[in-house]
Amino acid sequence: MATLEVQGIHSFYGNIEALKGVSLCVNDGEIVTLIGANGAGKSTTLNTICGLVRPRQGTISLDGEVISGLPAHQVVARGVSQAPEGRRIFSRLRVFDNLEMGAFLRKDKDGIASDMERVFELFPRLGERRDQVGGTLSGGEQQMLAIGRALMARPRILLLDEPSMGLAPLLVQEIFSIVQIINAEGTTILLVEQNAHMALSVASRAYVLQSGSVVLEGTSAEVAGNPEVKRAYLGEG
Amino acid sequence: MLKRSLRRGALVGGVLVFIALIGAPAAFAREPVVRGVVTLSQLLLAIGALLAGSGAAPATRTRSTGAVVAAGAIAGAVCMLLLALLALLVSAVDLRQVLVNATPQLVDELTLGRGVVTGSTVLVVLGTVLGALGGWSTRLPAAISRSAVLAGAAVVVVGVLRDKGLAIAEAVALGVAVWAVAYGRSRWGSALATRYQRVQRRNSTMVSIVVWIAGLFILLGLPSILGTYGTSVLDLVGLYVLMGLGLNIVVGYAGLLDLGYVAFFTIGAYVTGLLTSPAASTQLGLSFWIAWPLAMVAAAGAGALLGIPVLRMRGDYLAIVTLGFGEIIRILVLSDTFKSVLGGAQGIIEIPGPSIGSFTMMRPQHFYYLILIGVMIVVFVSRRISDSRVGRAWMAIREDEDVAEATGVNLVKYKLLAFAMGASFSGIGGAIFASWVHSVFPNSFTLLVSINILSLVIVGGIGSIPGVILGAFFLVGLPEVLRSFADFRMITFGALLVAMMIARPEGLWPAKSRRRELHLEVAE
Ligand SMILES: Nc1ncnc2c1ncn2[C@@H]1O[C@H](COP(=O)(O)OP(=O)(O)OP(=O)(O)O)[C@@H](O)[C@H]1O
Ligand SMILES: [Mg+2]
């Protein structure tokens, strides 16, 4: 059974159908990437999984249990957490409080403390700035905080929405290598990216989304080898 | 350098002439600050000369002390010369057709009651001396001069608050005490703080008990220092602190802009009136002590009720709807439909003061202690809650609703909790208010109250508990203190408000997380 199973979801903003029957699945321990052009519906897919957008049709299940239709605060309780597009950290709260908020539903004080230490190990720059207000962090640090905050929920599956957005190449490398470490430690990841190169190099499988529909899926190698993908997303040929 | 002195002196002198012509000196003359020594209008002139003098001194330290003093003296003299000329002009030509305040009384005030010729000379001489003093003060270490300003301000405020001003001895004692404390603080403050922390760590309970008791004594003693009028001002400030802290939860912590906050104050007051007044339609005549918790619960309930329809609203929409809610409540209590129950425009009268045994609270001094207890409880609750999980959830909602929900915050639950909790503080305020003024009328509960409360939260520093308290003193206490100046009250107050928001847009005592930010942004 897949960890996350999305079956034929249709999501709307008013009358605009942003997702036209998207299906995908993520197996335990995998990194799966979702790539596509601007406005293809990638963020909408993640927000629908999170419960922030309600699908009109289709089901989403986590470890076989249906989670579509639940409000967002209950979805995170089941083990789905997202580092959203554009970071969206709590800019007036300190780094420490942002991370605490990530663990909002957890009651295990010791576990929270040790997870926070782990986040500071993964991102030493956050550790040095734990009392700094989130809004004053650099873009890269904010991205680290967004990922750290999502990790604090100890999710079954971590949703990352364009973690490389607006970051210098070196920092993108760093973030991606940390994403791989997080995955190696047992967290399943669904990664949305514009940077198809990087995404395909860390993911085992990939989906290509176009105008609200999945137009291609397969292993990363297969998808990377597709001439259309090469042309449109990898800037080759 | 001469040019600078002239310019500065002329500037301050011009402002003083303007103030004189709008009639301030005559009004201020009735306000003794130190009994038999100096009135507020004389102080105004003196402060002007001092400012001119200190402003004339160049910022750099390259000039000698003598030069600085001379620059100050020139500026002070120029400044007072303008006023002397005004006095001469007004006494020679009758300008009252054009300038209603150009009266002989003004001349009298400006010339210190010594006749035009002698008085003008004295004025200019004093201006020179004070200007020189002002110039010289810029050469003093900042710690000394700043403490002196603070001490002077304290004497003026207390002197104005006291019905007949301070006695000389009192003024001197107060000034010296404030100066010493302020100086000590700026000089040894940080060393003292570390010392204090060290001692506190060693036997923390002991030290904090001593500090608390000392603070408590000052608070308990305030009514006898300030007298009846001062205490009633303090009572009003206290009520606004109660409400401000309530609104601070809604707006400051949870970021929900509520413009109809007066509604809960109204509900608290009316519930208390209905339950306690023998003249009310209900004729229950219950005790205040039974009424206030019910008033609080009713207000909290109304808060939650208001919360339900606005759950999905953000920012400006929320503001408009809550604004409407405040008006609806006021119109309801005013309406003929409920006149038989709520009394319509006549309101509810004969609301008894709270009584303990055979003793009934009547005087402002009695209510002071009641309000003090209320404020202390509310401060305590506010503090605890802002550090708690609930407080963190509110702040997350304030920062980003969607993300807050995605981290597990139940928006419905926490928003309603914020509305209810904020409303309950206001309900307590309403209950005390009703029993303090012994009556409730719809007219006491206008939109202006909501705006006042919101302003004091913003001016004080949104989200900050000491900020709200300072804001209440500034926005509620100060206008009361200025009340004897009738027309100038709002001019002065408005000018101060504008100046303050320019100088300190983040509030008087901003919450830590807000210090870096300059502008208030409302929800989204
Ligand atoms: N809140 C909203 N209201 C209305 N339309 C929306 C909203 N959010 C997204 N859309 C629309 O839905 C479509 C999909 O948007 P989405 O944000 O999912 O794209 P995306 O694939 O994440 O793009 P990008 O790579 O630029 O982030 C777009 O056409 C967008 O305009
Ligand atoms: Mg997107």
Side-chain angles (χ1 to χ4, degrees), chain A residues 50 52 71-73 76 80-81 84 87-93 97 100-107 131-133 136 149, chain B residues 252 389-390 392-393 395-400 402-411 414 462 512-514 516-517 521 524:
Chain A
C50 278
L52 289 170
H73 62 92
V76 60
V80 178
S81 77
R87 294 100 194 211
R88 295 180 71 169
I89 51 153
F90 300 121
S91 58
R92 270 189 262 164
L93 304 188
D97 297 311
E100 285 262 293
M101 269 318 291
F104 187 73
L105 290 176
R106 292 173 57 186
K107 300 278 187 308
D131 287 325
Q132 192 171 327
V133 178
T136 60
R149 183 179 62 190
Chain B
R389 209 172 102 89
V390 175
R392 218 177 303 118
M395 290 174 209
I397 293 175
R398 178 189 73 195
E399 299 296 300
D400 192 326
D402 293 331
V403 179
E405 195 184 7
T407 55
V409 176
N410 183 340
L411 293 182
Y414 284 97
I462 199 158
K512 269 190 217 109
S513 57
R514 259 202 101 72
R516 271 174 244 252
E517 277 175 286
E521 102 249 346
E524 273 190 324

Side-chain angles (χ1 to χ4, degrees), chain B residues 236-246 375 378-379 456 468-469 472:
Chain B
L236 196 66
V237 170
L239 279 181
Y240 272 90
V241 169
L242 267 180
M243 295 190 279
L245 286 173
V375 167
V378 163
V379 166
L456 76 86
V468 169
I469 297 173

Side-chain angles (χ1 to χ4, degrees), chain A residues 42-43 85 161-162 192:
Chain A
K42 305 181 297 293
S43 300
E85 183 172 12
D161 197 345
E162 302 200 28
V192 160

Side-chain angles (χ1 to χ4, degrees), chain B residues 320-335:
Chain B
I320 303 281
V321 173
T322 51
L323 182 89
F325 184 72
E327 282 300 285
I328 288 172
I329 296 290
R330 190 178 64 83
I331 289 166
L332 277 184
V333 297
L334 189 61
S335 73

Side-chain angles (χ1 to χ4, degrees), chain B residues 260-352:
Chain B
Y261 189 64
V262 68
F264 313 116
F265 181 53
T266 317
I267 289 167
Y270 266 85
V271 167
T272 306
L274 285 174
L275 292 177
T276 60
S277 166
S281 55
T282 47
Q283 295 192 313
L284 286 170
L286 294 175
S287 140
F288 171 81
W289 307 109
I290 297 175
W292 82 259
L294 293 175
M296 183 182 92
V297 170
L305 217 62
L306 165 70
I308 293 168
V310 301
L311 277 174
R312 290 263 131 227
M313 289 175 192
R314 297 181 187 193
D316 20 13
Y317 294 101
L318 177 63
I320 303 281
V321 173
T322 51
L323 182 89
F325 184 72
E327 282 300 285
I328 288 172
I329 296 290
R330 190 178 64 83
I331 289 166
L332 277 184
V333 297
L334 189 61
S335 73
D336 286 337
T337 324
F338 295 101
K339 191 165 182 185
S340 57
V341 187
L342 302 173
Q346 276 78 49
I348 301 174
I349 52 167
E350 286 182 40
I351 300 173

